Amino acid sequence: NAGVTQTPKFRILKIGQSMTLQCTQDMNHNYMYWYRQDPGMGLKLIYYSVGAGITDKGEVPNGYNVSRSTTEDFPLRLELAAPSQTSVYFCASSYSRGGPYNEQFFGPGTRLTVL
Amino acid sequence: GESVGLHLPTLSVQEGDNSIINCAYSNSASDYFIWYKQESGKGPQFIIDIRSNMDKRQGQRVTVLLNKTVKHLSLQIAATQPGDSAVYFCAETHQAGTALIFGKGTTLSVSS
């Protein structure tokens, strides 16, 4: 299994541009998450999904959109990039949300810079 | 604000020493805790977890201790190795929650 894969690894955007960060998992996990990690900080949840067709906001959703058309894929969309969105973005997945199965598996991250 | 935090941003130890990384949480409803290790340029990697009905859980060279009275969590690494150098995050959730809440992290540096 490849686990959680993310593309691209790095990206530089100009203010106002848009892009989609891709995330795919091959573990048949129901739950998927998008986090951002600012320098020296912990991860903050942007959006999450509990299954195909179902998404919900996390702690810092403004400026982002997501969709979940399949179990495997959970893309994150930035419509109008702003410097405040410069961060490292991690996608994660888990079997369920609670108890001993809540271990989240993380992808390698996408480093995004908005200039 | 964050409900989970770490006491020290950095910890430096010698190879072979035992390391203790601490974490305080503020949400008394939290019932599940996880320690993650993040190496430079990589995503967080699961180390060990503990549920609130336990005080201690051991893995390979790692032990997590949970003190619910003072809402404190610690990660002990035995015989620390250079490969243990990384940022360590504690994270918490509760049964009604939907995702993990992460602390800021402690950077562990191991010198030979």
Side-chain angles (χ1 to χ4, degrees), chain A residues 90-110:
Chain A
F90 289 101
C91 179
S93 71
S94 65
Y95 175 74
S96 70
R97 79 160 105 175
Y101 303 108
N102 197 42
E103 177 185 349
Q104 294 187 18
F105 295 83
F106 285 82
T110 293

Side-chain angles (χ1 to χ4, degrees), chain A residues 11 13-14 16-20 77-81:
Chain A
R11 184 72 185 268
L13 285 180
K14 294 182 180 178
Q17 286 185 318
S18 62
M19 76 164 294
T20 299
R77 178 83 177 163
L78 282 72
E79 291 294 350
L80 291 170

Side-chain angles (χ1 to χ4, degrees), chain A residues 52-80:
Chain A
I54 306 170
T55 63
D56 209 344
K57 296 177 181 179
E59 184 181 357
V60 289
N62 291 344
Y64 307 95
N65 279 300
V66 293
S67 59
R68 185 95 181 270
S69 57
T70 66
T71 299
E72 294 79 18
D73 300 306
F74 190 40
L76 177 71
R77 178 83 177 163
L78 282 72
E79 291 294 350
L80 291 170

Side-chain angles (χ1 to χ4, degrees), chain A residues 22-49:
Chain A
Q22 302 291 344
C23 175
T24 300
Q25 54 91 10
D26 62 359
M27 296 173 283
N28 201 32
H29 284 167
N30 294 321
Y31 289 73
M32 295 188 74
Y33 314 83
W34 273 105
Y35 293 90
R36 60 177 286 172
Q37 184 177 32
D38 297 328
M41 304 293 287
L43 284 72
K44 292 190 181 294
L45 182 67
I46 305 172
Y47 270 96
Y48 67 96
S49 169

Side-chain angles (χ1 to χ4, degrees), chain A residues 31 33 35 37 40-45 48 57 59 90 97-109 111, chain B residues 1-2 32 34 36 38 41-46 49 51 89 93-105:
Chain A
Y31 289 73
Y33 314 83
Y35 293 90
Q37 184 177 32
M41 304 293 287
L43 284 72
K44 292 190 181 294
L45 182 67
Y48 67 96
K57 296 177 181 179
E59 184 181 357
F90 289 101
R97 79 160 105 175
Y101 303 108
N102 197 42
E103 177 185 349
Q104 294 187 18
F105 295 83
F106 285 82
R111 186 175 296 274
Chain B
E2 295 181 340
Y32 182 63
I34 304 178
Y36 280 92
Q38 186 176 23
K42 297 183 178 179
Q45 181 182 10
F46 174 91
D49 60 357
R51 303 192 73 174
F89 293 96
T93 188
H94 50 85
Q95 198 161 2
T98 55
L100 298 171
I101 298 173
F102 286 81
K104 291 184 180 179

Side-chain angles (χ1 to χ4, degrees), chain B residues 1-69:
Chain B
E2 295 181 340
S3 71
V4 178
L6 291 171
H7 293 305
L8 291 174
T10 61
L11 177 64
S12 297
V13 300
Q14 293 283 329
E15 181 178 2
D17 287 350
N18 295 333
S19 301
I20 300 176
I21 300 172
N22 295 307
C23 176
Y25 64 95
S26 59
N27 188 351
S28 56
S30 296
D31 62 1
Y32 182 63
F33 305 87
I34 304 178
W35 281 100
Y36 280 92
K37 173 186 180 182
Q38 186 176 23
E39 296 176 287
S40 180
K42 297 183 178 179
Q45 181 182 10
F46 174 91
I47 302 173
I48 192 167
D49 60 357
I50 188 167
R51 303 192 73 174
S52 59
N53 61 353
M54 303 173 68
D55 298 322
K56 179 179 179 179
R57 190 162 188 223
Q58 287 184 293
Q60 188 175 13
R61 282 200 308 116
V62 294
T63 301
V64 55
L65 298 177
L66 176 62
N67 185 331
K68 296 179 287 295
T69 302

